[in-house]
Amino acid sequence: MTTPEPSQRDSFTPLKVAFLHPDLGIGGAERLVVDAAVSLQNLGHKVVMYTSHHDPAHCFEETRDGTLTVKVGGNTIVPRTILGRFYIICAILRNLHLALSLLLLSKQDQFDVIIVDQLSVSIPLLRWTGAKIFFYCHFPDKLLTKRESILKKLYRFPVDRIEELTTGMADTIVVNSKFTAEIFKQSFKTLHQVPEVLYPSIQFDKFDRKVDPTLAEIKVLQSDRVSFLSVNRYERKKDINLAIHAFARLLAEDAQDRAHLRLVIAGGYDTRVVENVEHHQELVQLAEKTHGLKTFTVSSGQNDVRVPAETQVLFLQSISDVQKLFLLQTARALLYTPTNEHFGIVPVEAMYMKCPVIAVNSGGPTESILHQVTGYLCPAEEQVWAESMKVLMTKSEEELRAMGQAGHDRVVGLFSLAAFVKKLNGVLQALVQSPSKSSSSIGGIIVVSILIVSLALLYGRL
C-alpha cells in the first residue's frame, strides 16, 4: 500500500471494524488487540471482536465487563488438539470455522475493515465479506515450531506455504517491531509488501492507579523480601529457566542474600494448555531439586492462602491487573528471559513503572531498553544475569530512582497509547480509501480458498 500524505492519514471517517483473534486469553498479543479495539471504539469506530475462545475467568477486563462486544464462534466442532497433538491443524480448522461464522454474520454487519492477527489462513475467506483486510504479524508462525524429523517437515510444508500465500493476500500488513520486519522479509521471500512497524503501547492510566494494600489479592503478595520479577506465559520458549538459574547463582555467591531475596514468577496459565501445566511443574522441579530452593505456588484467584515467609521462589498463575501493578511497583527489577522476543510489552510496562529491566540482548527488547540506562541487555547466560542482578542490589536508592525515571521517560516518549492509536487510525483511514484488489488477485483468492478448505478437510480425516 502506498504511504499516504499526512493530511490523508489524519482525516477521520467512522468505520465498522471487526477483530479476528483465535483465543482472547491473557498474553501480550491479547493485550495489544484489546487495547487497539478499545482505542478505536473510543475514537468513534464501531468495533466487534470475534474469537474461538473467551473464558471470563481468564481474560482481560475490557472483554468481560461490557466495554467491548465479544462474539465467540468456531469452537463447537474442532478441539484445540487431538490427543495433545496436531495443534496447528486444529488451530487452522478452528480459525476457518470462526471466519465462516463471521462471513455469515457479515450479511447483517457489513464491516469496512477486518483486523486479523496470529493466523493468516482465514484471509482468503474473509475477503469475501468485501471488507479490507489488515493483518498484524506478531511473528511468522512458521518460525514458532521446530522441525526435528522428516515427518514434521512434511507435516509443516503445506502449512508454511499457505501461511506465506495467505499473508500476501492482506490489503496491508503491519508488524510489531523493526526486528520482526526484518524476520518477515527473510521468511516470506515471495512477498513484496513492505510491512509498517506499529509498536505496541500501554494505557498509562491503567498503570497510574493506586493499589489498595488491604485487598486480599494484594495481601497474598506482600513480603519483607526484595523481589526480582519474571512475567511470562508458562511456555518453554520463554526460557523462564534462565531466571531461576541466575537467581540461584546470585544466592550461591552471597549467602546473606538467601534471607532477604525472592524470585516471583508470574504469568498466563491455562489448565487447558498442556504445556502450561507441564512447564510449571518443570520449573518447580528445577528450583527445588536442582537448586534446593523453597517454592510456593498461588493459583489464579487463590487469595485466601498464606505464602510461607521462607519462600524463595513464588509461582503465580494468571495474575490480575492490580496484582501485576503491585508487583511492578515493588520489584527491584524485571527479569525478561525470552531470546529473540518479537517485541515484548512487559519490559515497556516495567519501565513505565520505573522498574529496571534485565533482558536478553536480542529481538524487540533491544528497541525498547537502553543498556545501562533503563536496564541491562545481556546474553542468555546465567552468570552474566546474576552479575547484573548483583549490580542492581548494590545500587543506591538515588541510582535506582534515576534508572527508573529514565525508563519511564523513554516509554512516555515512544510507546504511548496516543501515538499507537494515531498511527493505527491513520493506516485504517488510508486503507479504506485505497483501491480494491485487481481481478487477477480475486482469481487467486478463489483458488486459495478452495485449496485451504480442501487441505483442512484432508487433515481433518487423518
Side-chain angles (χ1 to χ4, degrees):
M1 186 180 73
T2 304
T3 302
E5 294 298 322
S7 59
Q8 183 182 353
R9 282 207 165 216
D10 293 339
S11 62
F12 180 79
T13 301
L15 305 174
K16 290 185 177 180
V17 182
F19 281 78
L20 193 84
H21 186 78
D23 187 335
L24 276 178
I26 297 176
E30 289 70 41
R31 185 69 265 172
L32 184 143
V33 295
V34 169
D35 284 347
V38 172
S39 299
L40 291 175
Q41 185 168 271
N42 289 341
L43 280 180
H45 300 297
K46 181 181 178 181
V47 176
V48 180
M49 302 197 79
Y50 291 84
T51 183
S52 295
H53 181 78
H54 181 239
D55 179 0
H58 183 76
C59 64
F60 288 114
E61 185 178 352
E62 299 91 335
T63 67
R64 67 167 178 260
D65 66 2
T67 300
L68 291 169
T69 299
V70 177
K71 296 185 178 182
V72 180
N75 63 336
T76 57
I77 299 176
V78 183
R80 294 186 77 255
T81 65
I82 300 174
L83 300 177
R85 303 176 68 87
F86 303 106
Y87 173 82
I88 187 60
I89 297 304
C90 289
I92 287 174
L93 291 170
R94 286 166 68 88
N95 198 246
L96 292 174
H97 187 187
L98 178 60
L100 287 171
S101 300
L102 190 155
L103 191 61
L104 293 175
L105 291 173
S106 68
K107 295 178 180 179
Q108 306 167 0
D109 248 338
Q110 183 64 47
F111 294 106
D112 299 300
V113 179
I114 299 176
I115 297 178
V116 182
D117 76 310
Q118 291 192 330
L119 291 174
S120 62
V121 67
S122 60
I123 290 176
L125 294 180
L126 295 173
R127 292 201 63 84
W128 291 100
T129 65
K132 295 294 179 64
I133 308 300
F134 174 115
F135 183 63
Y136 194 100
C137 177
H138 300 280
F139 206 69
D141 183 75
K142 64 193 293 186
L143 302 181
L144 297 179
T145 183
K146 297 180 180 179
R147 293 159 176 74
E148 298 173 335
S149 66
I150 294 177
L151 184 61
K152 185 64 178 288
K153 291 178 181 178
L154 292 173
Y155 168 75
R156 284 291 312 197
F157 180 79
V159 175
D160 294 345
R161 299 289 80 75
I162 287 174
E163 179 188 12
E164 184 163 350
L165 193 60
T166 55
T167 296
M169 291 185 171
D171 291 290
T172 194
I173 303 169
V174 173
V175 294
N176 54 14
S177 65
K178 295 175 183 176
F179 168 74
T180 302
E182 184 58 33
I183 295 297
F184 182 97
K185 179 180 177 181
Q186 296 172 10
S187 302
F188 299 136
K189 297 184 183 301
T190 65
L191 302 186
H192 303 296
Q193 294 104 315
V194 178
E196 289 200 53
V197 175
L198 178 59
Y199 284 127
S201 66
I202 62 173
Q203 297 184 49
F204 295 158
D205 59 335
K206 284 185 173 294
F207 292 88
D208 291 334
R209 296 181 298 177
K210 291 184 178 180
V211 175
D212 183 354
T214 65
L215 293 173
E217 60 184 322
I218 298 303
K219 285 185 175 180
V220 75
L221 304 179
Q222 293 170 346
S223 171
D224 293 331
R225 291 175 178 253
V226 175
S227 297
F228 283 96
L229 174 65
S230 168
V231 180
N232 272 301
R233 289 189 302 276
Y234 283 86
E235 296 177 354
R236 296 180 182 94
K237 68 182 180 182
K238 299 298 184 180
D239 198 17
I240 303 171
N241 299 41
L242 175 59
I244 296 177
H245 286 308
F247 181 72
R249 183 177 284 268
L250 175 65
L251 298 188
E253 292 178 353
D254 190 341
Q256 293 182 344
D257 286 338
R258 299 187 71 89
H260 67 273
L261 290 181
R262 72 171 180 174
L263 172 63
V264 179
I265 295 176
Y269 182 92
D270 190 336
T271 55
R272 299 176 306 126
V273 180
V274 174
E275 184 183 12
N276 288 176
V277 178
E278 291 180 347
H279 194 45
H280 167 251
Q281 290 301 317
E282 292 166 358
L283 293 171
V284 170
Q285 291 295 310
L286 175 64
E288 292 182 349
K289 303 299 184 183
T290 303
H291 295 296
L293 301 174
K294 296 177 181 178
T295 76
F296 191 81
T297 298
V298 178
S299 301
S300 177
Q302 188 181 17
N303 302 322
D304 57 350
V305 298
R306 179 182 175 276
V307 178
E310 63 272 17
T311 300
Q312 294 168 301
V313 182
L314 175 62
F315 293 97
L316 304 174
Q317 299 172 344
S318 295
I319 56 176
S320 67
D321 288 344
V322 70
Q323 286 179 316
K324 184 178 184 180
L325 186 58
F326 175 79
L327 291 170
L328 290 173
Q329 286 176 344
T330 56
R332 178 57 57 99
L334 174 77
L335 307 182
Y336 198 68
T337 53
T339 295
N340 287 333
E341 183 71 359
H342 325 148
F343 176 71
I345 196 62
V346 179
V348 174
E349 295 172 340
M351 288 191 294
Y352 183 78
M353 295 303 299
K354 303 180 181 181
C355 177
V357 181
I358 302 175
V360 177
N361 59 350
S362 66
T366 63
E367 298 172 43
S368 58
I369 300 165
L370 291 180
H371 183 55
Q372 297 183 334
V373 177
T374 69
Y376 297 93
L377 293 167
C378 308
E381 300 171 10
E382 61 186 77
Q383 178 61 45
V384 180
W385 278 59
E387 291 171 356
S388 296
M389 293 163 72
K390 186 66 176 179
V391 169
L392 288 173
M393 287 300 300
T394 58
K395 280 186 176 294
S396 67
E397 289 298 320
E398 184 178 353
E399 290 174 320
L400 288 172
R401 279 196 298 270
M403 180 170 278
Q405 189 63 49
H408 178 86
D409 293 344
R410 180 168 175 78
V411 172
V412 170
L414 293 178
F415 305 107
S416 72
L417 184 60
F420 171 82
V421 175
K422 182 177 181 180
K423 184 166 185 178
L424 174 60
N425 182 62
V427 172
L428 295 184
Q429 297 292 335
L431 180 58
V432 295
Q433 297 174 35
S434 63
S436 300
K437 290 279 186 179
S438 65
S439 57
S440 60
S441 298
I442 296 298
I445 291 168
I446 295 173
V447 172
V448 174
S449 297
I450 295 172
L451 174 63
I452 289 173
V453 174
S454 300
L455 281 173
L457 292 173
L458 174 62
Y459 272 117
R461 292 176 180 175
L462 292 179

